[in-house]
């Protein structure tokens, strides 16, 4: 008798492989892109675990930030920028934080919730996430943003020489940030996170314009980013205040926050005025 050797059935092998992946508890995660896997994993953590992971991310940030400070000081020095109120190296550090790290944390938070654009969360989406947060305060990226942002401002207060107006701004912002994050069941946390990220993005444009004062493109980016961030920051402020209880919150925080936004926009107006009235180059 002649033995007939059958060729391997590739379709059967492919189907078997797919079933093995799907039957595994990690099958769907294994097939998903890295960002989706990370978002899924971090969205499934308990409140205690998510808080612990947030603290861990904050601790890692401290190590990186301190190393970056040494490198940037070596390259750029401690001279104070005119109009900026902080050393030149801090402008560069701020650009990385305000245009890179904080937007990335906000995008990670949006990705962990799923649906919609991760780069521009609408107030309604943020309010829905807050409703879920009040039921179960579980979210790695909420806590990660809270610790990194708070440590960023604490880093400035402890290690960065700054002018009085910048110091007062940092103290007010840090006090508000801590009050929101560590008040039990304080509504509107995600609105605050988005507002802080958006406003710092505008400030990042200002820092970038101080690093590259001769670039018309950078100046235009600064004017657009600061104006847009102030406008959206005002919208988020009003939406956040609508969720708060107690008239004192409106009476104290509304004028304070809107006053800060007005001063930021005045900075934009001053830049436009200086540009319009500066002498033409020879």
């Amino acid at each position: 008798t002649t033995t007939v050797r059958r060729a391997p059935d590739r379709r059967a092998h492919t189907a078997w492989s797919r079933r093995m992946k799907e039957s595994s508890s990690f099958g769907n995660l294994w097939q998903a892109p890295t960002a989706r896997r990370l978002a899924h994993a971090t969205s499934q953590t308990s409140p205690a675990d998510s808080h612990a992971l947030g603290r861990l991310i904050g601790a890692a940030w401290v190590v990186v930030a301190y190393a970056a400070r040494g490198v940037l000081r070596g390259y750029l020095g401690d001279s104070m920028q005119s109009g900026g109120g902080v050393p030149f190296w801090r402008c560069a550090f701020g650009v990385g934080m305000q245009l890179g790290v904080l937007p990335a944390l906000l995008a990670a938070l949006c990705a962990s919730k799923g649906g919609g654009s991760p780069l521009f969360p609408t107030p309604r989406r943020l309010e829905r996430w807050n409703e879920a947060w009040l039921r179960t305060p579980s979210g790695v990226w909420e806590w990660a943003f809270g610790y990194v942002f708070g440590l960023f401002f604490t880093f400035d207060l402890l290690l960065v020489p700054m002018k009085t107006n910048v110091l007062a701004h940092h103290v007010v912002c840090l006090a508000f940030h801590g009050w929101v994050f560590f008040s039990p069941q304080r509504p509107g946390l995600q609105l605050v996170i988005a507002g802080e990220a958006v406003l710092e993005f505008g400030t990042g444009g200002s820092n970038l314009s101080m690093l590259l004062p001769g670039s018309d493109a950078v100046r235009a980016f600064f004017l657009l980013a600061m104006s847009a961030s102030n406008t959206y920051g005002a919208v988020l402020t009003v939406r956040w205040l609508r969720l708060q209880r107690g008239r004192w919150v409106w009476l104290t925080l509304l004028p304070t926050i809107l006053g800060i936004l007005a001063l930021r926009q005045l900075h934009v107006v001053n830049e436009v005025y200086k540009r319009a009235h500066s002498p033409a180059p020879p």
Side-chain angles (χ1 to χ4, degrees), residues 259-281:
I260 291 174
L261 295 180
L263 291 174
R264 287 165 56 91
Q265 195 60 31
L266 183 61
H267 177 43
V268 175
V269 173
N270 287 337
E271 287 298 313
V272 172
Y273 180 84
K274 285 193 298 184
R275 183 69 174 176
H277 293 81
S278 60

Side-chain angles (χ1 to χ4, degrees), residues 12-192:
H13 175 76
T14 302
W16 175 84
S17 177
R18 184 166 55 249
R19 285 195 301 271
M20 287 296 293
K21 293 174 187 175
E22 290 174 352
S23 65
S24 167
S25 60
F26 297 99
N28 292 331
L29 293 180
W30 184 85
Q31 298 178 75
T34 302
R36 200 184 311 159
R37 277 186 289 164
L38 181 61
H40 177 84
T42 55
S43 66
Q44 302 301 312
T45 54
S46 68
D49 288 343
S50 64
H51 197 169
L53 284 169
R55 286 197 299 266
L56 183 62
I57 293 171
W61 179 87
V62 170
V63 175
V64 174
Y66 196 79
R69 170 180 177 263
V71 172
L72 291 172
R73 286 185 72 190
Y75 276 103
L76 300 175
D78 286 318
S79 62
M80 299 283 278
Q81 271 297 95
S82 60
V86 294
F88 198 69
W89 70 265
R90 170 55 179 76
C91 288
F93 182 79
V95 167
M97 281 295 302
Q98 294 154 336
L99 302 185
V101 174
L102 295 179
L105 289 173
L106 179 60
L109 189 156
C110 294
S112 72
K113 307 300 181 183
S117 169
L119 300 179
F120 196 79
T122 62
R124 183 62 197 132
R125 287 178 67 206
L126 295 166
E127 288 169 359
R128 285 201 306 271
W129 299 343
N130 174 70
E131 291 165 5
W133 172 269
L134 292 177
R135 291 193 297 270
T136 305
S138 175
V140 172
W141 299 110
E142 281 91 345
W143 287 116
F145 187 97
Y147 279 107
V148 169
F149 186 92
L151 289 166
F152 176 38
F153 272 58
T154 304
F155 176 90
D156 279 354
L157 291 175
L158 296 178
L159 299 175
V160 179
M162 58 184 70
K163 294 181 179 178
T164 304
N165 61 326
V166 182
L167 177 65
H169 163 269
H170 273 53
V171 170
V172 170
C173 291
L174 189 59
F176 172 75
H177 178 81
W179 175 68
V180 169
F181 265 86
F182 295 104
S183 295
Q185 297 298 297
R186 170 67 53 190
L189 177 69
Q190 286 76 11
L191 289 165
V192 171

